[in-house]
Amino acid sequence: MTRFNIFCLLGLILCIGGACENTPEFPAPKFDSSTTFKSIVRRDTIDIFNLKCQMEVPNGIDYIEVLDAYNNYELIERLDQHKGKTLLDFSYPIDLTLFERDTLLGYVVRVYDLDKRTYNKAFQLEVKKFSIPEITFSNGENISVTLPFVSVQAKLTTGMVPIYSIILKLDGKEKNIIKPERDTCDYDISNMILRGLNEMRPYKLEIILEDVKGRKCVAIQNIYRIDKIEKPVKILLSGNMEAEMLLKYDEVEHLEAVDLVGQFRMKFFYNENKDRIVRIEEVEYGNYTDSINYYFEYNDSKMLVQSKESDYHSLIADDIRYIDNSSNPRIKQFISGAALIEEIAYEEGFSQGTYIYAEEWDAPLMNVYSSIRLRMKDFSPITLPTYLECLPYPLMRMMRWPQLFHDLFLTQYVHSKTVNYLDDSQVKYYYTYTMDKKGRLSEWSRRYTDINRIDYYRFVYSDELDK
């Protein structure tokens, strides 16, 4: 190859290289943000919602598509009028006049450039219906109580129109009038105790909600005052523990046995009068050599004086002392091992001079200090149908099912939260409950505040077994 040819070849290479360096590159199209745009609008304020975004398309727009994200990405419209543009403030109107109820909408705006490269922008739109007064009972429309009280729990809203007044009536008689602060549109009645259910019969609770425009909503809750709670025959556990619990009763509906299927069994033994539990036998499923017996001793006044774990030769509670109140005795203190447990937590009951045991043991008793002790708060007059009346004081913290036993058998009334013994603002658990159509407790749940966990207890009654 001659020198001339070599120079020509090098020149061609350099030319090609230079041409490659100078060839303009058109990046892919993009929007102002790739994240989903979310918005909530109410029909009171808007008929048209515009899907808006800024487009940067260096190679020029070919066309734009608007897709329905909640209808299998069906094409709503193809837009060709922006062809060739490299910058665009895009806006597309969505007609909301057809939506009369709460609706969730989703859209995708997709741009194609002249090289058929694409970019998407997603929109999520929550459309709220026109503002009207609305009432929802948090614990259901039917409720049964054994006490002459009821706890009102309801959520009220008037949308964007402020509340004028809230009136509560019991069998047509006005019990309470609430006048919320100005411009309040949402109001929660969390645990309002109404009195006056003195007869064993059905009652009707009315809540009348009126907004400042004079529009009203009336909600009715049926309340059944009963003298005897129906007992569940099965409890379905879900959440942290997926399990089934079977309950067996004697002829007078005293709890005889509990079977946590596949895990543990318990048997309950009573005194001659059947008014006190004197022994509980706990056996690991399928292993009858691994059993624990718990014994409970009472004085002539039927108050607990000692409890012990026989198989481990350990006193659970001894030297139990009481606050002198014969009508409603309360534990003042007791000794467990080497620990003196004092100032046992109680909450005031629903009538004057009564108290509700409120201590919830969350640690072995020998290591319990006030800073880590817990207490239940905000009781409602709804009795747990599994509450063991014949064990008048809780078993403390020694069972192999401590949480289950506490939540189902030692808690007398439903409550909304468990807090630090010394500081009510430190909430450990939140509790909720619902009632079925017959007013029976249907579900009881515990939500943890320090971990992502909820435990559910679903009560099943004998008439539901075949369903």
Side-chain angles (χ1 to χ4, degrees):
M1 182 179 291
T2 65
R3 181 178 295 181
F4 175 78
N5 290 335
I6 293 173
F7 281 130
C8 287
L9 180 60
L10 289 172
L12 180 61
I13 293 171
L14 290 171
C15 180
I16 294 172
C20 290
E21 289 178 0
N22 294 326
T23 300
E25 294 183 2
F26 293 99
K30 62 182 180 180
F31 296 150
D32 50 350
S33 171
S34 61
T35 58
T36 300
F37 177 84
K38 297 181 180 180
S39 184
I40 300 175
V41 297
R42 187 172 281 278
R43 288 288 290 111
D44 300 66
T45 61
I46 193 170
D47 290 328
I48 302 294
F49 182 84
N50 290 294
L51 307 179
K52 292 183 177 182
C53 58
Q54 291 181 333
M55 296 183 181
E56 183 180 342
V57 188
N59 199 36
I61 295 172
D62 187 3
Y63 60 92
I64 298 170
E65 291 181 340
V66 180
L67 309 173
D68 187 341
Y70 290 165
N71 191 21
N72 211 21
Y73 294 96
E74 179 181 301
L75 177 64
I76 297 174
E77 188 174 358
R78 170 174 163 158
L79 306 171
D80 296 300
Q81 64 265 38
H82 305 295
K83 191 163 186 171
K85 293 183 179 179
T86 58
L87 294 173
L88 177 65
D89 287 331
F90 179 79
S91 180
Y92 185 84
I94 300 295
D95 184 2
L96 303 181
T97 57
L98 298 177
F99 301 107
E100 297 181 354
R101 61 181 63 184
D102 291 351
T103 307
L104 189 63
L105 304 173
Y107 301 96
V108 172
V109 174
R110 177 178 294 164
V111 61
Y112 291 78
D113 73 3
L114 295 172
D115 282 339
K116 303 303 181 187
R117 292 179 294 185
T118 65
Y119 198 81
N120 297 334
K121 174 75 173 182
F123 296 83
Q124 186 182 78
L125 180 61
E126 187 177 348
V127 182
K128 297 284 191 180
K129 64 184 178 182
F130 282 101
S131 297
I132 56 172
E134 294 179 283
I135 303 169
T136 302
F137 286 105
S138 305
N139 50 2
E141 295 180 356
N142 300 280
I143 192 167
S144 295
V145 295
T146 56
L147 298 173
F149 320 104
V150 65
S151 170
V152 183
Q153 300 192 33
K155 294 183 180 296
L156 302 91
T157 182
T158 47
M160 298 183 68
V161 181
I163 296 171
Y164 174 69
S165 68
I166 301 166
I167 300 175
L168 283 79
K169 293 183 177 181
L170 190 62
D171 275 3
K173 296 180 180 179
E174 194 173 283
K175 301 292 287 187
N176 205 335
I177 298 178
I178 302 171
K179 289 278 191 178
E181 293 182 4
R182 185 178 178 181
D183 297 330
T184 299
C185 298
D186 298 286
Y187 193 90
D188 285 357
I189 301 177
S190 59
N191 194 20
M192 180 184 290
I193 305 297
L194 293 186
R195 306 172 187 277
L197 285 72
N198 300 316
E199 301 174 14
M200 298 296 174
R201 63 174 178 84
Y203 291 80
K204 285 191 180 297
L205 169 68
E206 286 181 85
I207 299 181
I208 304 167
L209 171 63
E210 183 178 358
D211 67 20
V212 295
K213 290 186 176 181
R215 297 177 300 180
K216 293 182 179 181
C217 173
V218 179
I220 295 177
Q221 186 178 57
N222 298 305
I223 304 169
Y224 303 97
R225 175 73 199 281
I226 57 176
D227 58 1
K228 184 178 181 182
I229 294 178
E230 187 175 346
K231 305 282 189 178
V233 294
K234 183 190 295 186
I235 301 173
L236 301 177
L237 288 72
S238 60
N240 183 60
M241 178 189 292
E242 301 288 335
E244 180 179 75
M245 180 183 285
L246 305 177
L247 297 95
K248 181 182 176 183
Y249 303 91
D250 64 15
E251 65 280 359
V252 291
E253 293 193 345
H254 284 103
L255 186 63
E256 277 191 329
V258 174
D259 185 351
L260 187 61
V261 179
Q263 299 187 51
F264 295 102
R265 289 191 178 97
M266 273 188 178
K267 288 185 178 180
F268 299 85
F269 300 88
Y270 295 80
N271 61 4
E272 290 183 4
N273 295 328
K274 288 278 189 174
D275 60 0
R276 288 291 181 267
I277 292 173
V278 295
R279 179 164 70 94
I280 299 177
E281 180 186 65
E282 184 185 273
V283 181
E284 187 177 352
Y285 217 87
N287 182 6
Y288 289 94
T289 60
D290 183 16
S291 65
I292 301 176
N293 281 274
Y294 305 100
Y295 289 89
F296 307 94
E297 182 183 335
Y298 306 90
N299 61 18
D300 294 338
S301 300
K302 299 179 182 179
M303 293 190 291
L304 185 69
V305 295
Q306 186 183 86
S307 62
K308 63 182 179 180
E309 214 175 283
S310 64
D311 290 36
Y312 291 95
H313 308 290
S314 173
L315 283 173
I316 300 167
D318 192 20
D319 194 20
I320 303 173
R321 300 186 183 184
Y322 295 85
I323 296 174
D324 187 15
N325 183 337
S326 56
S327 62
N328 191 195
R330 287 172 284 159
I331 298 177
K332 179 181 181 181
Q333 65 183 49
F334 64 92
I335 293 175
S336 181
L340 173 62
I341 313 297
E342 300 179 281
E343 302 296 334
I344 308 303
Y346 283 84
E347 292 287 303
E348 289 189 6
F350 306 108
S351 57
Q352 189 173 4
T354 62
Y355 297 89
I356 303 169
Y357 189 98
E359 191 90 35
E360 180 173 338
W361 304 104
D362 197 47
L365 284 176
M366 264 65 82
N367 299 316
V368 168
Y369 300 96
S370 295
S371 59
I372 61 173
R373 281 166 60 181
L374 301 175
R375 60 192 304 156
M376 297 174 277
K377 292 285 292 183
D378 297 341
F379 286 93
S380 297
I382 305 295
T383 304
L384 267 293
T386 46
Y387 174 65
L388 287 172
E389 295 180 82
C390 295
L391 188 69
Y393 302 108
L395 295 176
M396 318 309 175
R397 188 61 204 263
M398 81 300 175
M399 313 297 288
R400 279 184 285 190
W401 322 341
Q403 176 194 318
L404 291 181
F405 210 88
H406 175 272
D407 283 351
L408 296 174
F409 302 110
L410 303 182
T411 301
Q412 184 173 6
Y413 300 106
V414 298
H415 56 286
S416 65
K417 59 188 175 183
T418 295
V419 301
N420 180 275
Y421 178 86
L422 298 175
D423 185 356
D424 289 1
S425 67
Q426 295 183 27
V427 181
K428 179 74 171 179
Y429 315 114
Y430 284 104
Y431 287 84
T432 58
Y433 70 95
T434 55
M435 315 291 279
D436 66 14
K437 292 181 179 179
K438 292 185 176 182
R440 302 172 300 194
L441 191 65
S442 174
E443 187 176 272
W444 176 231
S445 66
R446 169 199 284 230
R447 177 170 64 85
Y448 294 69
T449 59
D450 54 350
I451 57 175
N452 184 23
R453 171 178 162 183
I454 304 178
D455 296 324
Y456 299 93
Y457 310 109
R458 168 77 171 87
F459 298 93
V460 180
Y461 299 89
S462 58
D463 62 337
E464 300 175 307
L465 289 178
D466 298 328
K467 294 182 181 180

